[in-house]
């Protein structure tokens, strides 16, 4: 599956880098860090083992990114007004969007804007920060709970959980309200 990350800060950088390191194709949307990451890669300093992605599929505009099977939205939810322009170019008929964001009712709000998109709620149990351009400092934890909000393809939902686990991220399928 092809993954894309919208919001490559601490959370998006960490989970996206873990998936990419495990061999998944991951495309990263970056703004202020774009040129740095393109030239220097993405560095993850982690209590679970540090690593660096030397070559990153880095993009400064989502319209230049390939269509994706899964999009991890790791923006702060106050920026969800940007989703119509950021997310739309990445969507296929069967794209699953995983909202790894704070807030209650986030999925319902996004579903109103994208009524036909399959949504999954993500709750990240992680302590990390973006400390410099292209650098994520992962201090502790790192697991993620995923709750199916509107994804009708149970096999794809399970495959996403399997991909996280294969990448070394403990991922659990939990009931939606618990995930949120």
């Amino acid at each position: 599956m092809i993954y894309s990350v919208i919001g490559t800060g601490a959370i998006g950088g960490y989970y996206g880098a873990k998936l990419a390191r495990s061999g998944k194709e991951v495309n990263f949307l970056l703004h202020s860090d774009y040129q740095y990451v393109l030239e220097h890669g993405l560095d993850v300093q982690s209590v679970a083992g540090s690593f660096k992605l030397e070559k990153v599929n880095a993009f400064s505009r989502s319209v230049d990114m390939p269509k994706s099977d899964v999009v991890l939205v790791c923006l702060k939810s106050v920026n969800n007004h940007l989703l119509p322009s950021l997310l739309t170019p990445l969507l296929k008929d069967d794209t699953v969007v995983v909202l790894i964001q704070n807030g209650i009712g986030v999925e319902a709000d996004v579903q109103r804007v994208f009524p036909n998109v399959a949504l999954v709620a993500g709750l990240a149990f992680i302590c990390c920060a973006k400390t410099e351009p292209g650098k994520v400092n992962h201090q502790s934890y790192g697991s993620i709970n995923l709750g199916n909000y509107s994804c009708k393809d149970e096999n794809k939902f399970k495959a996403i959980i399997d991909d996280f686990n294969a990448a070394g991220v403990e991922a659990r399928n939990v009931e939606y309200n618990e995930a949120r």
Side-chain angles (χ1 to χ4, degrees), residues 57-114:
N57 296 333
F59 296 86
S60 62
R61 302 175 338 138
S62 62
V63 296
D64 297 328
M65 297 170 74
K67 301 271 187 210
S68 303
D69 299 301
V70 181
V71 179
L72 306 180
V73 175
C74 303
L75 293 173
K76 302 235 184 294
S77 59
V78 296
N79 291 318
N80 278 1
H81 66 280
L82 300 172
L83 285 179
S85 63
L86 296 177
L87 184 57
T88 301
L90 305 177
L91 298 177
K92 304 185 307 181
D93 288 341
D94 63 344
T95 300
V96 176
V97 175
V98 181
L99 299 173
I100 308 174
Q101 300 181 299
N102 290 336
I104 303 299
V106 175
E107 288 75 22
D109 292 341
V110 172
Q111 195 79 84
R112 278 191 284 284
V113 178
F114 297 96

Side-chain angles (χ1 to χ4, degrees), residues 43-178:
D43 189 13
V44 177
Q45 297 299 307
S46 175
V47 296
S50 299
F51 64 96
K52 184 173 184 176
L53 298 178
E54 298 290 341
K55 170 126 176 51
V56 177
N57 296 333
F59 296 86
S60 62
R61 302 175 338 138
S62 62
V63 296
D64 297 328
M65 297 170 74
K67 301 271 187 210
S68 303
D69 299 301
V70 181
V71 179
L72 306 180
V73 175
C74 303
L75 293 173
K76 302 235 184 294
S77 59
V78 296
N79 291 318
N80 278 1
H81 66 280
L82 300 172
L83 285 179
S85 63
L86 296 177
L87 184 57
T88 301
L90 305 177
L91 298 177
K92 304 185 307 181
D93 288 341
D94 63 344
T95 300
V96 176
V97 175
V98 181
L99 299 173
I100 308 174
Q101 300 181 299
N102 290 336
I104 303 299
V106 175
E107 288 75 22
D109 292 341
V110 172
Q111 195 79 84
R112 278 191 284 284
V113 178
F114 297 96
N116 299 315
V117 171
L119 297 178
V120 170
L123 176 61
F125 294 91
I126 190 168
C127 182
C128 65
K130 187 177 98 171
T131 55
E132 298 175 45
K135 293 189 184 357
V136 174
N137 184 350
H138 169 230
Q139 294 104 8
S140 62
Y141 306 112
S143 66
I144 188 166
N145 284 350
L146 298 172
N148 191 342
Y149 183 77
S150 64
C151 180
K152 292 178 176 69
D153 187 342
E154 286 293 328
N155 290 328
K156 193 166 190 179
F157 176 62
K158 182 182 178 320
I160 295 166
I161 293 169
D162 291 345
D163 285 350
F164 271 101
N165 281 303
V169 174
E170 180 187 341
R172 293 184 328 132
N173 175 0
V174 300
E175 189 272 327
Y176 165 73
N177 287 317
E178 182 183 342

